Amino acid sequence: MSTTTTAVPEKLWSGGKSPFKVEYGKLMMWYFLMSDAFTFGAFLIAYGTTRFATNGWPNPNEVFKSYPFAGENANAPLVFVSIMTFILIISSVTMVLAVQAGQQMNKNKVVINLILTILGGAAFLSCQAWEWNHLFHEGAWWGRNPFLNADGTASTTNFTNFFFTITGFHGFHVFSGVIINIIMLIMTLTDKFEKRGHYLMIEKAGLYWHFVDLVWVFVFTCFYLI
Amino acid sequence: MEHTADAEHHGGGTKEVIKLTFILSIPTVIELALGFAMMGMEQGSSLKLAIKGTIVILMMAKAFYIVGYFMHLKHEVKNLIMTIVVPLLLFVWFITAFLSDGNSFKNLKNTYDPHKKELSTQKVEKKEEVKETKTEEKKKAVE
């Protein structure tokens, strides 16, 4: 690959060939993801600005300390969210394997890895649904914040507003990703890609899925760790 | 069929995928370990800030590997890399400008609105009790 680009670097823009060497759909997926990155970036920067402009802030280790079937007095900060993080990393890995299987025109392997990716996405969404439900029953929602600041002073609703908006927007992306992957699975099973002679569509769905994982890296760090 | 030849050339295969899984998992584990180490520390201490900085660096490293290898951007044509990466450089300015703006706003408020500052230093004591009675009420309702 690198040898072909270095051999004809100045001729890339001389016309008659694709200067980016990717097909239209993939390039447009990249541009869409770039715009999406700005949307998420705007959300996270707004969150950061508000946090920098506020005197106190709740301690995430006191807010996110529960896990399913734990009961009232659970005190396990970071545990549940690290499980969610690893679920998303693993589903990203199975997506890479699906893309590679598609490049090798190996239909069965594509199907298996797509199913694993869908299961990973569904598992992540279930975890998030549980967490939202748990926080809701603790009294947290948009406009309601039952948690105190780390130093014991009263907190504002900014904390819950940003948390639910940003993780909700990310969860919506995961949900769309699962739907896209289900469509990819159906198209693979009905031999759409075999007839086309390539699995490029899986690569585009893969780009989207990895982007969802990428955003989670930032959301996870900004809300649960820092 | 040129495409499959290309894919084999830079796709890496299962071995590289396993390697990448570790490259992504290890920083995550380190981040979590740092997160646990941070718990007992005093709010706003310099060591805590240093750990937070380390976590951000690890986050950027993970982002680089996801975009570069999982999303394959590192193996695309340089022109394509530039159209994606150069616009995203705006974030450097966004983050610097907005975070320092937030910080300055906080300082201004604390200087010129002492009443609000005093309010923000008052600890809430009653709220705990209210919360407890609320959960008790809930329990009773469930029973």
Side-chain angles (χ1 to χ4, degrees):
Chain A
M1 185 65 203
S2 52
T3 48
T4 45
T5 46
T6 45
V8 281
E10 66 283 344
K11 285 182 186 169
L12 274 176
W13 290 99
S14 59
K17 55 171 81 78
S18 158
F20 287 151
K21 284 198 179 166
V22 285
E23 32 121 29
Y24 175 80
K26 204 171 177 180
L27 185 65
M28 290 306 125
M29 180 53 95
W30 268 112
Y31 287 147
F32 164 69
L33 292 182
M34 195 170 69
S35 73
D36 224 15
F38 277 110
T39 313
F40 270 110
F43 275 144
L44 285 171
I45 290 168
Y47 162 75
T49 310
T50 310
R51 227 182 127 163
F52 268 68
T54 315
N55 278 326
W57 202 257
N59 180 359
N61 296 323
E62 281 163 22
V63 177
F64 311 109
K65 63 183 178 187
S66 194
Y67 52 92
F69 315 112
E72 287 274 305
N73 298 316
N75 188 14
L78 284 178
V79 171
F80 188 56
V81 74
S82 51
I83 293 169
M84 287 167 76
T85 307
F86 277 107
I87 288 173
L88 218 51
I89 289 179
I90 299 303
S91 82
S92 224
V93 170
T94 53
M95 191 77 223
V96 176
L97 292 173
V99 168
Q100 287 188 350
Q103 286 165 347
Q104 293 153 7
M105 301 293 287
N106 185 342
K107 184 187 156 188
N108 286 335
K109 222 179 140 193
V110 171
V111 170
I112 290 167
N113 282 305
L114 270 181
I115 290 173
L116 289 173
T117 312
I118 292 165
L119 287 177
F124 181 86
L125 283 174
S126 319
C127 290
Q128 201 169 38
W130 180 86
E131 188 171 48
W132 272 44
N133 186 45
H134 171 74
L135 289 171
F136 179 75
H137 285 289
E138 290 211 312
W141 201 239
W142 277 277
R144 277 192 278 141
N145 183 7
F147 306 109
L148 295 180
N149 285 334
D151 54 3
T153 55
S155 183
T156 63
T157 53
N158 284 334
F159 174 72
T160 39
N161 288 346
F162 275 114
F163 175 79
F164 285 113
T165 304
I166 295 176
T167 59
F169 198 56
H170 175 262
F172 176 65
H173 275 74
V174 179
F175 176 74
S176 333
V178 170
I179 298 293
I180 291 170
N181 282 340
I182 289 172
I183 294 168
M184 291 303 115
L185 180 64
I186 293 168
M187 285 173 91
T188 316
L189 287 172
T190 51
D191 281 334
K192 278 251 163 62
F193 301 129
E194 289 284 326
K195 276 171 210 154
R196 274 184 207 172
H198 59 74
Y199 280 81
L200 285 175
M201 201 74 142
I202 304 271
E203 293 185 26
K204 284 169 241 170
L207 279 181
Y208 182 79
W209 190 253
H210 296 313
F211 177 76
V212 168
D213 183 27
L214 175 74
V215 170
W216 182 250
V217 167
F218 288 92
V219 173
F220 163 68
T221 312
C222 293
F223 278 100
Y224 295 88
L225 279 174
I226 292 185
Chain B
M1 284 302 100
E2 190 196 33
H3 184 78
T4 43
D6 263 1
E8 272 166 36
H9 205 86
H10 58 73
T14 325
K15 258 190 189 172
E16 196 184 333
V17 174
I18 292 169
K19 199 178 123 195
L20 277 171
T21 314
F22 279 107
I23 285 178
L24 282 184
S25 302
I26 289 167
T28 311
V29 172
I30 298 174
E31 277 181 357
L32 289 168
L34 289 173
F36 279 114
M38 237 175 6
M39 276 177 202
M41 283 177 202
E42 209 180 311
Q43 211 66 29
S45 70
S46 53
L47 182 62
K48 194 163 185 172
L49 283 178
I51 291 180
K52 283 181 179 180
T54 318
I55 288 175
V56 170
I57 291 167
L58 286 169
M59 173 184 87
M60 296 313 289
K62 271 160 74 180
F64 171 79
Y65 273 100
I66 290 174
V67 177
Y69 292 93
F70 276 7
M71 296 171 85
H72 231 263
L73 190 63
K74 204 160 183 288
H75 300 289
E76 302 287 1
V77 177
K78 203 182 165 198
N79 293 322
L80 177 53
I81 299 176
M82 287 306 163
T83 53
I84 306 296
V85 173
V86 173
L88 290 180
L89 285 178
L90 272 172
F91 274 123
V92 177
W93 166 244
F94 285 160
I95 291 167
T96 325
F98 280 92
L99 292 192
S100 57
D101 189 49
N103 198 41
S104 133
F105 184 53
K106 176 180 72 184
N107 294 339
L108 286 172
K109 263 192 311 186
N110 287 343
T111 316
Y112 296 108
D113 195 349
H115 173 65
K116 213 168 184 182
K117 200 195 170 196
E118 208 190 312
L119 279 182
S120 76
T121 52
Q122 280 169 1
K123 298 205 180 199
V124 182
E125 284 158 18
K126 282 180 185 168
K127 216 172 183 178
E128 277 298 306
E129 285 166 30
V130 170
K131 210 178 149 194
E132 268 168 32
T133 49
K134 255 188 193 170
T135 48
E136 273 167 27
E137 272 167 22
K138 252 187 209 168
K139 268 182 199 165
K140 274 177 197 168
V142 171
E143 278 165 18

